[in-house]
Amino acid sequence: MDVVVRAYNALINWLRFLAGVVVFGIFVLICVDVLLRLLGGYVGMQPWTYSVPVVEYGLLWFAMLAAPYLVRIKGHVFIEAVTQIVPPRTRWVMAKLSYTGCIVASCVFAWYSWGVLVEAIERGTLDIRAEEIPLWYLVFPMPFCFALVAVEFGRYLIGIDDMYGDRTEVRENV
């Protein structure tokens, strides 16, 4: 079991690293695109037609690849105002209901995005903008990452971690 846990943790960290690579690639692509727009006439080059769709795809990929890690480190958005004023037992029940809802939502998104992915591959659907790009490129990470998000919320549900623990501590000398 320890091997499975280590492999899973490595997968989450690898996806986090890949998300960083994607966002850095987006940064570079935008910089090159802007430079080509400013200096393209002087160097005889035009901006690439595919840069906008690639940046759009990259932003979705970045969000999807980073999502499981963000759930793990409690970096996703949630509101703690209500949980701070309710009794501990009520907070526990609210947390379990929240985790369950998040698991169900993540599984629904994973299921439907899997269907979109399979259909895009079978039909050879293209996303036609400046360039024709197969649609499955866009949706590829979605079913897998939503499934991993469901697993991360499952960790909270079974008590491995608590979404409301250690998040709001102020660390002044970090």
Side-chain angles (χ1 to χ4, degrees), residues 127-168:
D127 181 29
I128 302 172
R129 294 185 219 179
E131 294 290 323
E132 293 181 354
I133 302 174
L135 182 63
W136 71 268
Y137 285 7
L138 177 62
V139 298
F140 180 75
M142 294 174 75
F144 308 108
C145 292
F146 275 125
L148 292 174
V149 166
V151 170
E152 288 300 314
F153 278 112
R155 292 176 68 244
Y156 292 136
L157 182 65
I158 63 174
I160 293 175
D161 198 357
D162 180 20
M163 190 165 63
Y164 300 102
D166 295 335
R167 181 179 167 159
T168 58

Coordinates of all heavy atoms in Angstrom, one line a residue, residues 127-168:
D127 N -11.3 21.8 -33.4 CA -11.6 23.1 -32.9 C -11.0 24.1 -33.9 O -9.8 24.1 -34.1 CB -10.9 23.3 -31.5 CG -11.2 24.6 -30.9 OD1 -12.3 25.2 -31.2 OD2 -10.3 25.1 -30.1
I128 N -11.9 24.8 -34.6 CA -11.4 25.6 -35.7 C -11.4 27.1 -35.2 O -12.5 27.6 -35.0 CB -12.3 25.4 -36.9 CG1 -12.3 23.9 -37.3 CG2 -11.9 26.3 -38.0 CD1 -13.3 23.6 -38.4
R129 N -10.3 27.6 -35.1 CA -10.1 29.0 -34.8 C -9.0 29.5 -35.8 O -9.3 29.4 -37.0 CB -9.6 29.2 -33.4 CG -10.7 28.8 -32.4 CD -10.2 29.1 -31.0 NE -10.6 28.0 -30.1 CZ -10.4 28.0 -28.9 NH1 -9.7 28.9 -28.3 NH2 -10.8 27.0 -28.2
A130 N -7.9 30.1 -35.3 CA -6.9 30.5 -36.3 C -6.3 29.3 -36.9 O -5.8 29.3 -38.1 CB -5.8 31.3 -35.5
E131 N -6.2 28.2 -36.2 CA -5.7 26.9 -36.7 C -6.6 25.8 -36.4 O -7.4 25.9 -35.4 CB -4.3 26.6 -36.1 CG -3.2 27.6 -36.4 CD -2.7 27.5 -37.8 OE1 -2.7 26.3 -38.3 OE2 -2.4 28.5 -38.4
E132 N -6.6 24.7 -37.1 CA -7.4 23.6 -36.8 C -6.7 22.7 -35.8 O -5.6 22.2 -36.1 CB -7.8 22.8 -38.1 CG -8.7 23.5 -39.0 CD -9.0 22.7 -40.2 OE1 -8.4 21.6 -40.4 OE2 -9.8 23.2 -41.0
I133 N -7.2 22.5 -34.6 CA -6.6 21.7 -33.6 C -7.6 20.6 -33.2 O -8.8 21.0 -32.9 CB -6.2 22.5 -32.4 CG1 -5.2 23.6 -32.9 CG2 -5.5 21.7 -31.3 CD1 -4.8 24.6 -31.8
P134 N -7.2 19.4 -33.1 CA -8.2 18.4 -32.6 C -8.7 18.7 -31.2 O -8.0 19.1 -30.3 CB -7.3 17.1 -32.6 CG -6.2 17.3 -33.5 CD -5.9 18.8 -33.4
L135 N -10.0 18.6 -31.1 CA -10.7 19.0 -29.8 C -10.2 18.1 -28.7 O -10.2 18.6 -27.5 CB -12.2 18.8 -30.0 CG -13.1 19.2 -28.8 CD1 -12.9 20.7 -28.5 CD2 -14.5 18.9 -29.0
W136 N -9.8 16.9 -28.9 CA -9.4 16.1 -27.8 C -8.2 16.6 -27.1 O -7.9 16.3 -25.9 CB -9.3 14.6 -28.2 CG -8.1 14.3 -29.1 CD1 -8.1 14.2 -30.4 CD2 -6.8 13.9 -28.6 NE1 -6.8 13.9 -30.9 CE2 -6.0 13.7 -29.8 CE3 -6.2 13.8 -27.4 CZ2 -4.7 13.3 -29.7 CZ3 -4.9 13.4 -27.4 CH2 -4.1 13.2 -28.5
Y137 N -7.4 17.4 -27.8 CA -6.2 18.0 -27.2 C -6.7 18.9 -26.0 O -6.0 19.0 -25.0 CB -5.4 18.9 -28.2 CG -4.6 18.2 -29.2 CD1 -4.6 16.9 -29.3 CD2 -3.7 19.0 -30.0 CE1 -3.8 16.2 -30.3 CE2 -2.9 18.4 -31.0 CZ -3.0 17.0 -31.1 OH -2.2 16.4 -32.0
L138 N -7.8 19.6 -26.3 CA -8.3 20.5 -25.2 C -8.8 19.8 -24.0 O -8.5 20.2 -22.9 CB -9.4 21.4 -25.8 CG -10.1 22.4 -24.9 CD1 -9.1 23.4 -24.3 CD2 -11.2 23.1 -25.6
V139 N -9.6 18.8 -24.2 CA -10.3 18.1 -23.1 C -9.5 16.9 -22.5 O -10.0 16.4 -21.5 CB -11.7 17.6 -23.6 CG1 -12.5 18.8 -24.0 CG2 -11.6 16.6 -24.7
F140 N -8.4 16.6 -23.1 CA -7.6 15.4 -22.6 C -7.4 15.4 -21.1 O -7.6 14.3 -20.5 CB -6.3 15.3 -23.4 CG -5.5 14.1 -22.9 CD1 -5.9 12.8 -23.3 CD2 -4.4 14.2 -22.1 CE1 -5.2 11.7 -22.9 CE2 -3.7 13.1 -21.7 CZ -4.1 11.9 -22.1
P141 N -6.9 16.4 -20.4 CA -6.6 16.3 -19.0 C -7.9 16.3 -18.1 O -7.8 15.9 -16.9 CB -5.7 17.5 -18.7 CG -6.2 18.5 -19.7 CD -6.5 17.7 -20.9
M142 N -9.0 16.7 -18.6 CA -10.1 17.0 -17.8 C -10.6 15.7 -17.0 O -10.8 15.8 -15.8 CB -11.3 17.6 -18.6 CG -10.9 19.0 -19.0 SD -12.1 19.8 -20.1 CE -13.4 20.2 -18.9
P143 N -10.9 14.6 -17.7 CA -11.5 13.5 -16.9 C -10.5 12.9 -15.9 O -10.9 12.6 -14.8 CB -11.8 12.4 -18.0 CG -11.1 12.8 -19.2 CD -10.8 14.3 -19.1
F144 N -9.2 12.9 -16.2 CA -8.2 12.4 -15.3 C -8.1 13.3 -14.1 O -8.0 12.8 -12.9 CB -6.9 12.1 -16.0 CG -7.1 11.3 -17.3 CD1 -7.0 11.9 -18.5 CD2 -7.4 10.0 -17.2 CE1 -7.1 11.2 -19.7 CE2 -7.6 9.2 -18.4 CZ -7.5 9.8 -19.6
C145 N -8.0 14.6 -14.3 CA -7.7 15.5 -13.2 C -9.0 15.7 -12.4 O -8.9 15.8 -11.2 CB -7.2 16.8 -13.8 SG -5.6 16.7 -14.5
F146 N -10.2 15.7 -13.0 CA -11.4 15.7 -12.1 C -11.5 14.4 -11.3 O -11.9 14.5 -10.1 CB -12.6 15.9 -13.0 CG -12.9 17.3 -13.3 CD1 -13.1 17.7 -14.6 CD2 -13.1 18.2 -12.3 CE1 -13.4 19.0 -15.0 CE2 -13.4 19.6 -12.7 CZ -13.6 19.9 -14.0
A147 N -11.1 13.3 -11.8 CA -11.0 12.1 -11.0 C -10.1 12.2 -9.8 O -10.4 11.8 -8.7 CB -10.7 10.9 -11.9
L148 N -8.9 12.8 -10.1 CA -7.9 13.0 -9.0 C -8.4 14.0 -8.0 O -8.2 13.9 -6.8 CB -6.6 13.4 -9.6 CG -5.9 12.4 -10.4 CD1 -4.6 13.0 -11.1 CD2 -5.5 11.2 -9.6
V149 N -9.2 15.0 -8.4 CA -9.8 16.0 -7.5 C -10.7 15.2 -6.6 O -10.8 15.5 -5.3 CB -10.4 17.1 -8.2 CG1 -11.3 17.9 -7.3 CG2 -9.4 18.0 -8.8
A150 N -11.5 14.3 -7.1 CA -12.5 13.5 -6.3 C -11.7 12.7 -5.3 O -12.1 12.6 -4.2 CB -13.3 12.6 -7.2
V151 N -10.6 12.1 -5.7 CA -9.8 11.4 -4.8 C -9.3 12.2 -3.6 O -9.3 11.9 -2.5 CB -8.6 10.7 -5.5 CG1 -7.6 10.1 -4.5 CG2 -9.1 9.6 -6.4
E152 N -8.8 13.4 -4.0 CA -8.3 14.4 -2.9 C -9.4 14.7 -2.0 O -9.2 14.8 -0.8 CB -7.7 15.6 -3.6 CG -6.4 15.4 -4.3 CD -5.3 14.9 -3.3 OE1 -5.2 15.4 -2.2 OE2 -4.6 13.9 -3.7
F153 N -10.6 15.0 -2.5 CA -11.7 15.3 -1.5 C -12.1 14.0 -0.8 O -12.6 14.1 0.4 CB -12.9 15.9 -2.3 CG -12.8 17.3 -2.5 CD1 -12.7 17.8 -3.8 CD2 -12.8 18.3 -1.5 CE1 -12.6 19.2 -4.1 CE2 -12.7 19.6 -1.7 CZ -12.6 20.1 -3.0
G154 N -11.9 12.9 -1.4 CA -12.1 11.6 -0.6 C -11.2 11.5 0.5 O -11.6 10.9 1.6
R155 N -10.0 12.0 0.4 CA -9.0 11.9 1.5 C -9.6 12.8 2.7 O -9.4 12.4 3.8 CB -7.7 12.5 1.1 CG -6.9 11.7 0.1 CD -5.6 12.3 -0.4 NE -4.7 12.4 0.7 CZ -4.2 13.5 1.2 NH1 -4.6 14.7 0.8 NH2 -3.3 13.5 2.2
Y156 N -10.2 13.9 2.4 CA -10.8 14.7 3.4 C -12.0 14.0 4.0 O -12.1 14.0 5.3 CB -11.3 16.0 2.9 CG -10.2 17.0 2.4 CD1 -10.3 17.7 1.2 CD2 -9.1 17.2 3.2 CE1 -9.3 18.6 0.8 CE2 -8.1 18.1 2.8 CZ -8.2 18.8 1.6 OH -7.3 19.7 1.2
L157 N -12.8 13.3 3.2 CA -14.0 12.7 3.7 C -13.7 11.5 4.6 O -14.3 11.4 5.7 CB -14.8 12.1 2.5 CG -16.1 11.5 2.8 CD1 -17.1 12.5 3.5 CD2 -16.8 10.9 1.6
I158 N -12.6 10.8 4.3 CA -12.3 9.6 5.2 C -11.4 10.0 6.4 O -11.1 9.2 7.2 CB -11.7 8.4 4.4 CG1 -10.3 8.8 3.8 CG2 -12.6 7.9 3.4 CD1 -9.6 7.7 3.2
G159 N -11.0 11.3 6.5 CA -10.3 11.7 7.6 C -8.8 11.8 7.6 O -8.2 12.0 8.6
I160 N -8.3 11.6 6.4 CA -6.8 11.6 6.2 C -6.3 13.1 6.5 O -5.3 13.3 7.0 CB -6.3 11.1 4.9 CG1 -6.6 9.6 4.8 CG2 -4.9 11.4 4.6 CD1 -6.3 9.0 3.4
D161 N -7.1 14.0 6.1 CA -6.8 15.4 6.3 C -8.1 16.2 6.5 O -9.2 15.6 6.4 CB -6.1 16.0 5.1 CG -5.4 17.3 5.3 OD1 -5.4 17.8 6.5 OD2 -4.7 17.8 4.4
D162 N -8.1 17.4 6.9 CA -9.2 18.2 7.1 C -9.1 19.5 6.3 O -8.0 20.2 6.5 CB -9.4 18.6 8.6 CG -10.6 19.4 8.9 OD1 -11.5 19.5 8.1 OD2 -10.6 20.0 10.0
M163 N -10.0 19.9 5.5 CA -10.0 21.0 4.7 C -9.8 22.3 5.5 O -9.3 23.3 5.1 CB -11.2 21.1 3.8 CG -11.2 22.1 2.7 SD -12.4 21.9 1.5 CE -13.9 22.1 2.3
Y164 N -10.3 22.3 6.7 CA -10.3 23.5 7.5 C -9.2 23.6 8.5 O -9.1 24.5 9.3 CB -11.7 23.6 8.3 CG -12.8 23.6 7.4 CD1 -13.6 22.5 7.1 CD2 -13.1 24.8 6.7 CE1 -14.7 22.5 6.2 CE2 -14.2 24.8 5.8 CZ -14.9 23.7 5.6 OH -16.0 23.7 4.7
G165 N -8.3 22.7 8.4 CA -7.1 22.7 9.4 C -5.9 23.4 8.8 O -5.6 23.2 7.6
D166 N -5.2 24.1 9.6 CA -3.9 24.7 9.3 C -3.9 25.7 8.1 O -2.9 26.0 7.6 CB -2.8 23.7 9.0 CG -2.5 22.9 10.2 OD1 -2.8 23.4 11.4 OD2 -2.1 21.7 10.1
R167 N -5.1 26.1 7.6 CA -5.1 26.9 6.4 C -5.0 28.4 6.8 O -4.4 29.2 6.1 CB -6.3 26.7 5.6 CG -6.4 27.6 4.4 CD -7.5 27.4 3.6 NE -7.6 28.5 2.7 CZ -8.2 28.6 1.5 NH1 -8.8 27.6 1.2 NH2 -8.1 29.6 0.8
T168 N -5.6 28.8 7.9 CA -5.7 30.2 8.2 C -4.7 30.7 9.2 O -4.7 31.8 9.7 CB -7.1 30.5 8.8 OG1 -7.3 29.7 10.0 CG2 -8.2 30.3 7.8

